[in-house]
Amino acid sequence: MSPALDGVVAYQRDFLERTILFWDTLRQRADNMIAHERAGKPPLLDFDYELVLDARRFERPVNYALLRITRYGDECLEDCLDPAKPPVMIVDPRAGHGPGIGGFKHDSEVGIAMHEGYPVYFVVFYPEPSAGQTMVDVLHTLRRFAEEVSRRHDGKPPTLYGNCQAGWAIAILAADCEGLAGPAVLNGSPLSYWAGESGVNPARVSGGLLGGAWLSHLTCDLGDGRFDGAWLVQNFENLKPEGVWEKYANLFSHIDEERERFLEFERWWNGFYFLSREEMLVIVENLFIGNSLEQGKLRICRDCLVDLRRIRNPLVIFASYGDNITPPHQALGWIPTIYSDTDDLKQAGQRIIYLINPHIGHLGIFVSARVARLEHRAILDSLKKIEVLPPGLYEMKIDNPTGDPDCGRDAYSVRFEERRVEELEFPGNRAAFRRVAEVSAQMDALYSTTLGRWIEATSTPLSAQLLEWLHPMRVSRHAFATDFNPWLRALAPIAASIARDRHAVPGTNSLKVREIETFDAVRSLITQARELRDQGYEFWFETLYGRGLAADAAEADPVSASTSQPACRRRTR
């Protein structure tokens, strides 16, 4: 047999083996998903922990809990902690998934903080919200957690780590009537919801194209007062469909290397959690549609409006140009809105430090092992320097000539370059987004007084559970579960036999090279289609809300008036 024919036969065998292993991996993912659901969806932490506080037992119960990490690898807490270092409290995002992304593997935010000798606490949440749970209840709970951590460490304020949604929650705590004492690290956290680049960040315009908050209200009513987090996860995938294709194509092409990593990540990605109707509507109406946080209009309680100028603890903002969910525009755009210039920022006594990665995606900011071993390690190592910086705006620069994220402290250096608020220029059409907020309020009021009353009256726990099980994100996964397709059990022993005696072809095989090229070509086509879709979103948004608003845009932006909110009374306990 000729070498060319040998290569064809070898590729055919390899292709068949990878096909069986690929479908078996999807079966394993589905079985893992169902097993995780049956176990109650516990937090996916790769560390031992103990329960400190369970907020479900508070006077105003919420579905949050405070954990204390007790073991790092094979070492107990006493063997790796530095008693001189302040505690770190990591808060995971509650954006459709379950808790654990900040510590679901060894090289993570939890692991790096433990490795550097910090006592670590982790805030988790349960799959179901407490009855009537509100965003204000959650904020008060997070403050109580921070106070408990401080009490356990002789009054040392914890360094608060907020990932995505948890970052803006921490910013709200720092900006309310009581404020916070310790440094806060906001990872991929949006604070300026109207900011973004046209054609690059289409998520910010989707609310306007869908008519505002009424659709979220409808979804909550159909869910019998709960919002299914699977919708949020589906939205994340729809933002970048070529990434979904690449995930599966990469798994198929490199099944031997990628299988376990794929299954590990998918356990977290497909663990869908719920939010209460009260929480979801406040978040959508006041943040994503109304942008109330940046404007100083978000009310925590009767006597307290959130004012970002009130923040006094140092802020470290970690963003990335590769993040299409929370671009640097949304992470930093609030600064020139709140502070008129650099002198204004300094007179307010604030220290804001930002660190921008050039390419990492949204999840990579708090999932990537390389980012954890370099950027997050550098942030923790620099906390003392950050706390003594004079007021101002700084960009954190990490010089690592070796390119090795595991390099020693002497191999990399950190410097803080002073920047000017005036340099942070992010284009945007605020007048158009204000019009969206107005339309959203009108549409939601119309829905609430008409269709909403009928849906809320007829929805039941049974109908909500039926819709939950029929959600596309669940059906597309459960279809491969052995509980739903028993015949797939036959795949497991066949796949195990193949894995023991694999006949993989090298990457230089001509047909394998063509396979990769084909997958890349499909990815390019999907990317082009997505870009056309995003351009269409921008066009219709501008057509519906942007045209004819030049006069409005030329007027003084009312946001500037929010930078001088009257002092409000301290919340009583």
Side-chain angles (χ1 to χ4, degrees):
M1 191 179 295
S2 67
L5 188 58
D6 285 343
V8 171
V9 173
Y11 174 78
Q12 289 177 334
R13 178 169 186 170
D14 172 61
F15 187 90
L16 177 61
E17 290 181 350
R18 284 189 286 125
T19 300
I20 295 173
L21 292 174
F22 176 82
W23 292 114
D24 185 64
T25 301
L26 298 188
R27 175 202 62 79
Q28 186 63 61
R29 177 182 68 175
D31 288 349
N32 289 348
M33 183 177 175
I34 291 177
H36 187 54
E37 291 171 352
R38 287 174 175 168
K41 300 179 186 175
L44 298 175
L45 288 171
D46 191 31
F47 304 87
D48 294 343
Y49 56 84
E50 64 181 15
L51 179 65
V52 177
L53 290 174
D54 187 343
R56 293 177 298 180
R57 299 187 175 92
F58 288 2
E59 182 179 354
R60 288 285 302 173
V62 299
N63 65 331
Y64 277 70
L66 176 65
L67 308 180
R68 173 176 171 265
I69 306 300
T70 59
R71 183 179 291 274
Y72 171 74
D74 296 328
E75 298 182 3
C76 293
L77 205 63
E78 295 75 14
D79 300 326
C80 58
L81 295 189
D82 183 348
K85 292 187 175 181
V88 172
M89 189 175 98
I90 298 173
V91 188
D92 249 8
R94 190 157 162 253
H97 310 93
I101 197 64
F104 85 117
K105 57 184 178 181
H106 193 75
D107 291 328
S108 60
E109 293 169 346
V110 172
I112 292 301
M114 294 288 288
H115 182 268
E116 297 301 307
Y118 289 88
V120 177
Y121 294 80
F122 200 86
V123 175
V124 300
F125 39 89
Y126 298 97
E128 295 287 345
S130 299
Q133 175 176 315
T134 67
M135 186 180 76
V136 173
D137 295 332
V138 172
L139 293 172
H140 289 172
T141 295
L142 292 179
R143 180 174 297 284
R144 183 167 171 182
F145 285 173
E147 292 170 350
E148 174 62 20
V149 172
S150 177
R151 185 191 67 80
R152 286 169 163 256
H153 293 269
D154 300 324
K156 294 179 183 176
T159 297
L160 298 180
Y161 244 75
N163 295 325
C164 190
Q165 170 268 343
W168 58 251
I170 288 173
I172 291 174
L173 289 181
D176 73 6
C177 300
E178 295 191 38
L180 292 171
V185 182
L186 313 182
N187 300 307
S189 301
L191 296 181
S192 184
Y193 297 88
W194 291 349
E197 186 175 348
S198 178
V200 178
N201 308 120
R204 76 196 198 288
V205 305
S206 59
L209 296 177
L210 295 172
W214 77 273
L215 193 57
S216 298
H217 202 159
L218 169 64
T219 307
C220 292
D221 290 343
L222 289 172
D224 195 34
R226 304 177 307 156
F227 185 90
D228 190 350
W231 290 110
L232 296 175
V233 180
Q234 180 174 286
N235 288 342
F236 292 147
E237 291 196 346
N238 289 341
L239 277 176
K240 200 171 183 180
E242 68 269 26
V244 179
W245 166 264
E246 186 176 28
K247 176 173 70 173
Y248 290 109
N250 187 56
L251 173 65
F252 181 80
S253 296
H254 307 92
I255 189 71
D256 302 305
E257 299 86 4
E258 294 295 325
R259 174 185 167 92
E260 293 306 318
R261 183 162 55 182
F262 175 86
L263 291 174
E264 179 185 47
F265 176 78
E266 291 290 300
R267 286 186 66 208
W268 174 78
W269 186 252
N270 296 299
F272 308 125
Y273 280 47
F274 290 83
L275 290 88
S276 72
R277 174 167 45 206
E278 294 81 359
E279 287 178 287
M280 193 64 194
L281 293 183
V282 167
I283 291 171
V284 172
E285 293 171 359
N286 289 278
L287 299 181
F288 294 100
I289 298 293
N291 199 31
S292 299
L293 177 58
E294 184 183 66
Q295 299 181 74
K297 298 178 181 178
L298 182 63
R299 186 175 296 278
I300 294 297
C301 50
R302 186 182 64 181
D303 300 321
C304 187
L305 285 171
V306 172
D307 184 358
L308 294 176
R309 288 182 66 93
R310 195 183 289 121
I311 299 176
R312 291 294 178 269
N313 57 312
L315 290 183
V316 179
I317 300 173
F318 187 8
S320 171
Y321 286 116
D323 186 348
N324 67 328
I325 295 176
T326 305
H329 310 64
Q330 294 187 1
L332 301 173
W334 63 278
I335 299 174
T337 301
I338 299 300
Y339 302 102
S340 59
D341 52 33
T342 306
D343 290 337
D344 189 22
L345 172 64
K346 291 181 177 180
Q347 290 172 8
Q350 179 56 286
R351 286 152 293 169
I352 300 176
I353 297 91
Y354 66 89
L355 170 65
I356 298 184
N357 186 289
H359 56 78
I360 198 73
H362 181 72
L363 289 176
I365 293 176
F366 26 87
V367 173
S368 169
R370 289 183 62 87
V371 170
R373 299 199 303 266
L374 183 62
E375 278 93 337
H376 287 299
R377 177 162 60 116
I379 290 172
L380 291 170
D381 285 344
S382 304
L383 286 177
K384 288 185 177 180
K385 296 178 182 178
I386 290 172
E387 291 188 88
V388 299
L389 285 172
L393 177 67
Y394 301 88
E395 182 175 5
M396 180 176 173
K397 294 283 191 176
I398 303 174
D399 295 321
N400 181 20
T402 67
D404 180 8
D406 296 318
C407 61
R409 285 188 178 88
D410 296 336
Y412 77 93
S413 62
V414 175
R415 68 184 189 276
F416 301 96
E417 297 182 357
E418 191 165 3
R419 297 287 185 252
R420 297 188 61 79
V421 172
E422 297 85 338
E423 296 172 353
L424 297 177
E425 297 181 0
F426 300 110
N429 189 343
R430 290 182 175 274
F433 284 100
R434 286 197 293 274
R435 180 67 62 85
V436 170
E438 295 170 1
V439 171
S440 174
Q442 295 167 1
M443 291 288 291
D444 191 58
L446 178 62
Y447 165 79
S448 298
T449 56
T450 54
L451 182 63
R453 291 189 176 184
W454 182 82
I455 292 179
E456 189 173 353
T458 56
S459 293
T460 66
L462 181 61
S463 66
Q465 188 173 37
L466 178 63
L467 291 175
E468 174 187 338
W469 278 95
L470 291 177
H471 193 285
M473 290 295 291
R474 291 187 178 87
V475 172
S476 61
R477 273 64 172 173
H478 289 161
F480 297 96
T482 53
D483 285 355
F484 292 92
N485 280 316
W487 65 271
L488 286 173
R489 296 180 191 276
L491 268 182
I494 298 173
S497 175
I498 290 173
R500 286 193 298 268
D501 186 26
R502 272 284 281 130
H503 297 81
V505 298
T508 54
N509 180 284
S510 60
L511 291 176
K512 184 66 177 290
V513 171
R514 298 295 181 272
E515 173 190 303
I516 300 298
E517 291 175 349
T518 302
F519 287 164
D520 289 343
V522 173
R523 184 186 189 281
S524 297
L525 287 174
I526 297 174
T527 301
Q528 292 172 17
R530 190 261 305 163
E531 290 173 347
L532 288 174
R533 180 201 68 182
D534 294 349
Q535 292 171 12
Y537 286 171
E538 296 283 352
F539 170 80
W540 285 110
F541 181 84
E542 192 68 21
T543 300
L544 292 171
Y545 299 102
R547 300 282 173 85
L549 295 177
D552 293 338
E555 296 176 359
D557 195 331
V559 173
S560 60
S562 70
T563 59
S564 57
Q565 292 287 348
C568 46
R569 295 191 295 274
R570 179 181 176 89
R571 176 174 62 85
T572 57
R573 296 186 180 279

